[in-house]
């Protein structure tokens, strides 16, 4: 049934807003009248729901509670309906929209994919794999753990980078203060002196920063960035955002340490999904196809498609992975051991746990390196600026005897 987004008043004048599922607008209005609500505005469609964005913690909350309801014996549609009673009211319109999609015959992953701001493409691909496994509730529990672990990594990294970020902001503030206040006050003292190229550069930078054109340029730049971010986050810009994220990921993996972190995260996610699918009885070649979809780069997905083709032609999985440069030798050896012992799902789970642990250690190392690195950069910038200002003032050749 269609969804209707409404704003209405109750008898005391308090404003109420929400989503109704009804066969027609008249039926939706009658439903509000039965609730003794005076309608202000109403519109049909998923446009409002499509603007709802969820954090990984909120997504994990929805999936975790949904898995528990399915474990309790609820069908998916009934579980989603029951879920509306135990989640944040702000998420109820989204769950209502999902119910409507499921009722019209859409699969769960297909319904999620129609709200890309709330559920990204990699999560939808993982849910697709869960549906193929035939053990949706078990897989939802695993996906919830994966989302919570990713949220923990994000909080760990952001928490460690807060202090360096504050230092960087302070450095930028100090530089601008010197260019706007200190340098102009000392500029008359440089008259008639032979100035180095560094000092001339600082004086030119001070003139630019103090010019009206600079503020016009800065305003236009921020407007352009704001418009670009808005377009990327709009529903029409989702494909552009996906391509942008893939290109950013490919460039980021070339950065030392950061590249290792990104590869470890991708390997851990792939191994966990493979373990989940194989434990659920999915065939190996199908598991490779499904587990490749959530990966962050088309290059990685293409490599796994090549692995799948080799497995289909009769090559052992461990041998098929030998040509994949980003997949580590340790993982290949563990897969080989799993093939020989008949414990391939357990081996993929061990690979996931190992690279999860290594990722956490590398994040800790990155955060410990970030603070001294920012301090050094701050010292170099401020020191260079001070040297450019003070060096001409120490020139004794201009002192009158």
């Amino acid at each position: 049934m269609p969804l209707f987004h409404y704003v209405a008043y109750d008898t005391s004048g308090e404003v109420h807003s929400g989503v109704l599922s009804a066969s027609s607008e008249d039926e939706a209005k009658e439903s509000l009248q039965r609730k003794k609500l005076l309608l202000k505005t109403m519109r049909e469609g998923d446009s409002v729901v499509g603007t709802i964005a969820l954090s990984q913690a909120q997504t994990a909350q929805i999936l975790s509670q949904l898995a528990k309801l399915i474990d309790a014996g609820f069908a998916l549609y009934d579980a989603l309906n029951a879920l509306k009673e135990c989640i944040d009211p702000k998420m109820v319109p989204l769950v209502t929209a999902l119910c409507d999609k499921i009722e019209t015959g859409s699969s769960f992953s297909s319904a999620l994919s129609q709200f890309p701001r709330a559920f990204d493409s990699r999560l939808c691909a993982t849910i697709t794999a869960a549906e193929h496994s035939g053990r949706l509730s078990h897989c939802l529990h695993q996906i919830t753990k994966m989302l919570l672990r990713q949220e923990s990594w994000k909080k760990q990294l952001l928490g460690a980078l807060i202090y360096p970020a504050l230092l960087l902001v302070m450095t930028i503030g100090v530089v601008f203060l010197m260019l706007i206040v200190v340098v102009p006050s000392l500029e008359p003292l440089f008259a008639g002196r032979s100035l180095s190229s560094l000092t001339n550069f600082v004086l030119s930078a001070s003139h630019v920063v103090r010019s009206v054109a600079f503020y016009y340029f800065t305003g236009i730049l921020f407007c352009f960035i704001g418009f670009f971010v808005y377009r990327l986050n709009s529903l029409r810009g989702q494909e552009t955002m996906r391509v942008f994220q893939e290109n950013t990921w490919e460039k980021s993996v070339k950065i030392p340490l950061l590249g290792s972190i990104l590869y470890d995260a991708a390997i851990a996610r792939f191994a966990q999904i493979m373990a989940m699918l194989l434990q659920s009885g999915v065939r190996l070649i199908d598991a490779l196809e499904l587990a490749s979809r959530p990966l962050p780069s088309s290059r990685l997905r293409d490599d796994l498609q090549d692995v799948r083709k080799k497995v289909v032609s009769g090559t052992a999985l461990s041998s098929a992975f030998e040509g994949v440069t980003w997949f580590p030798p340790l993982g290949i050896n563990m897969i080989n051991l799993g093939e020989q012992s008949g414990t391939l799902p357990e081996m993929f789970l061990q690979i996931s746990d190992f690279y999860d642990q290594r990722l956490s250690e590398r994040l800790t190392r990155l955060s410990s390196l970030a603070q001294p690195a920012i301090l050094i950069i701050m010292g170099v910038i401020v020191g260079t600026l001070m040297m450019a200002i003070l060096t001409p003032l120490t020139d004794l050749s201009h002192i009158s005897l």
Side-chain angles (χ1 to χ4, degrees), residues 66 69 74-86 95-96 99-100 103:
L66 183 62
L69 290 169
F74 284 83
L76 178 59
Y77 177 79
D78 296 330
L80 285 169
N81 269 319
L83 185 64
K84 291 186 283 187
E85 305 298 327
C86 51
V95 176
T96 303
C99 286
D100 183 62
E103 189 178 29

Side-chain angles (χ1 to χ4, degrees), residues 117 222-234 237 241:
R117 292 200 63 190
F222 275 106
C223 289
F224 176 78
I225 293 173
F227 176 74
F228 180 70
V229 171
Y230 169 77
R231 284 298 301 274
L232 285 181
N233 283 282
S234 67
M241 172 64 90

Side-chain angles (χ1 to χ4, degrees), residues 25-328:
E25 186 173 344
D26 290 336
E27 183 180 330
K29 290 178 179 179
E30 289 175 5
S31 177
L32 291 177
Q33 288 175 355
R34 287 194 296 270
K35 296 178 182 179
K36 297 182 178 180
L37 293 176
L38 179 62
L39 180 64
K40 179 184 178 184
T41 60
M42 176 177 288
R43 51 178 170 157
E44 180 183 352
D46 294 334
S47 57
V48 174
V49 177
T51 63
I52 297 176
L54 299 181
S55 66
Q56 283 191 324
Q58 290 174 317
T59 304
Q61 178 192 0
I62 289 178
L63 297 182
S64 175
Q65 294 183 359
L66 183 62
K68 292 175 183 177
L69 290 169
I70 294 174
D71 286 338
F74 284 83
L76 178 59
Y77 177 79
D78 296 330
L80 285 169
N81 269 319
L83 185 64
K84 291 186 283 187
E85 305 298 327
C86 51
I87 59 173
D88 188 329
K90 295 179 180 178
M91 294 188 280
V92 170
L94 182 60
V95 176
T96 303
L98 290 175
C99 286
D100 183 62
K101 302 297 182 185
I102 297 295
E103 189 178 29
T104 57
S106 297
S107 66
F108 186 41
S109 57
S110 176
L112 294 177
S113 67
Q114 295 181 51
F115 304 100
R117 292 200 63 190
F119 308 103
D120 64 39
S121 58
R122 281 181 286 175
L123 175 64
C124 294
T126 307
I127 297 292
T128 301
E131 289 176 318
H132 281 77
S133 72
R135 300 173 62 190
L136 183 60
S137 63
H138 170 75
C139 294
L140 287 178
H141 283 301
Q142 298 300 316
I143 293 169
T144 298
K145 291 179 183 178
M146 182 169 59
L147 290 174
L148 291 176
R149 189 157 55 240
Q150 290 173 355
E151 185 72 11
S152 175
W153 293 337
K154 188 184 296 184
K155 287 181 178 178
Q156 178 185 353
L157 185 60
L158 290 177
L161 294 179
I162 285 177
Y163 179 62
L166 289 175
L167 288 178
L168 185 61
V169 171
M170 288 178 59
T171 301
I172 295 173
V174 168
V175 169
F176 269 86
L177 183 65
M178 294 184 71
L179 291 176
I180 294 172
V181 178
V182 178
V183 173
S185 65
L186 296 177
E187 189 171 0
L189 300 177
F190 298 149
R193 296 175 183 267
S194 176
L195 302 178
S196 65
S197 56
L198 180 60
T199 303
N200 283 322
F201 174 78
V202 170
L203 290 175
S204 299
S206 176
H207 293 156
V208 170
V209 169
R210 287 181 289 136
S211 67
V212 176
F214 173 78
Y215 294 101
Y216 278 120
F217 174 77
T218 304
I220 293 171
L221 179 63
F222 275 106
C223 289
F224 176 78
I225 293 173
F227 176 74
F228 180 70
V229 171
Y230 169 77
R231 284 298 301 274
L232 285 181
N233 283 282
S234 67
L235 294 177
R236 289 182 298 178
Q238 290 300 319
E239 180 62 23
T240 305
M241 172 64 90
R242 186 188 63 79
V243 174
F244 175 75
Q245 288 176 339
E246 286 200 10
N247 291 337
T248 302
W249 193 92
E250 285 291 351
K251 289 180 173 61
S252 299
V253 294
K254 298 176 183 179
I255 302 173
L257 187 56
L258 180 58
S260 300
I261 289 173
L262 293 174
Y263 275 128
D264 283 354
I267 293 168
R269 183 166 191 159
F270 165 73
Q272 185 173 29
I273 296 173
M274 283 294 295
M276 178 180 70
L277 292 171
L278 293 175
Q279 286 174 343
S280 301
V282 177
R283 294 189 310 163
L284 178 59
I285 55 175
D286 294 331
L288 287 169
E289 166 68 28
L290 294 167
S292 67
R293 295 179 186 176
L295 292 177
S297 166
S298 58
R299 176 172 60 86
L300 272 58
R301 293 193 292 270
D302 290 342
D303 286 344
L304 286 179
Q305 289 303 313
D306 291 339
V307 169
R308 181 177 178 275
K309 291 176 183 177
K310 291 179 182 178
V311 172
V312 170
S313 66
T315 306
L317 182 61
S318 55
S319 300
F321 266 111
E322 289 178 356
V324 180
T325 56
W326 54 268
F327 201 82

Side-chain angles (χ1 to χ4, degrees), residues 345-374:
E346 289 76 11
M347 281 301 170
F348 269 114
L349 196 58
Q350 289 187 31
I351 292 172
S352 173
D353 291 340
F354 175 80
Y355 283 96
D356 275 342
Q357 179 63 32
R358 197 166 82 158
L359 177 60
S360 180
E361 292 171 357
R362 283 182 164 168
L363 284 174
T364 302
R365 192 187 315 164
L366 177 64
S367 62
S368 64
L369 291 175
Q371 296 185 15
I374 293 295

